[in-house]
Amino acid sequence: AQRVTQPEKLLSVFKGAPVELKCNYSYSGSPELFWYVQYSRQRLQLLLRHISRESIKGFTADLNKGETSFHLKKPFAQEEDSAMYYCALGRAHAGKSTFGDGTTLTVKP
Amino acid sequence: ETGVTQSPTHLIKTRGQQVTLRCSSQSGHNTVSWYQQALGQGPQFIFQYYREEENGRGNFPPRFSGLQFPNYSSELNVNALELDDSALYLCASSFSSGGGTGELFFGEGSRLTVL
């Protein structure tokens, strides 16, 4: 069975501090991992996906198959990063995406 | 480019009634997925439609059903509504060449309240 765990419901950091949002998954096959973000009064949107291996808005995430993790990191948080972040696990050739319950990130000035 | 649109945005029903939610997918997309999001939880996968066929289903009873039309728009139908069906229902469209997951583009959701 697919499962995604985001252990922190709430995360608060000061502007300029590093931030790491944790995501662990369980899946027996070859996973596709995503981070989605929802800013205030906006719809859910893709932030980044592991296969693209790119940095978006200063965020990066590395897939660690040994630890079954896909943590999201940013070295210097900005106030505009305050949002709800969801980690999601997808599968090639099958429709289901499994989402974690999300982490609300607050970046304080 | 038109994004994913959902209707209605809010609705109130009573227990036992039936509801139909609608979704227009983003231009160029051929796959539609539906999610249920209860308060404080992440989106839960209901089902996906690819080329007008159901392509994967989550742990939802048969009273949750759907359709995808030739223009790739979609409907979610829920029969015999229960109080626990109260939630935000999200539609997401994507382009897939093989019915896989891919990047999901979400609508703003339909907020259903069952009394």
Side-chain angles (χ1 to χ4, degrees), chain A residues 46-66:
Chain A
L46 179 71
L47 178 62
L48 54 80
R49 57 194 302 182
H50 89 272
I51 60 170
S52 60
R53 301 183 68 84
E54 57 188 345
S55 173
I56 304 292
K57 298 185 178 183
F59 284 98
T60 59
D62 290 319
L63 177 60
N64 186 324
K65 290 188 179 181

Side-chain angles (χ1 to χ4, degrees), chain A residues 9 36 43 86 91 95 97 101, chain B residues 4 35 37 40 42 101 104 106:
Chain A
K9 272 276 192 201
Y36 284 84
R43 63 186 68 193
Y86 292 96
R91 294 184 290 175
S97 281
D101 284 336
Chain B
V4 178
Y35 290 83
Q37 187 173 23
T101 308
L104 299 171
F106 284 88

Side-chain angles (χ1 to χ4, degrees), chain A residues 46-109:
Chain A
L46 179 71
L47 178 62
L48 54 80
R49 57 194 302 182
H50 89 272
I51 60 170
S52 60
R53 301 183 68 84
E54 57 188 345
S55 173
I56 304 292
K57 298 185 178 183
F59 284 98
T60 59
D62 290 319
L63 177 60
N64 186 324
K65 290 188 179 181
E67 296 183 358
T68 59
S69 68
F70 188 57
H71 303 328
L72 183 68
K73 300 177 186 179
K74 184 169 182 176
F76 308 104
Q78 303 299 314
E79 289 180 68
E80 55 265 31
D81 296 328
S82 295
M84 174 71 91
Y85 291 81
Y86 292 96
C87 182
L89 168 65
R91 294 184 290 175
H93 309 298
K96 181 177 182 178
S97 281
T98 300
F99 283 76
D101 284 336
T103 298
T104 301
L105 173 65
T106 301
V107 181
K108 297 179 285 189

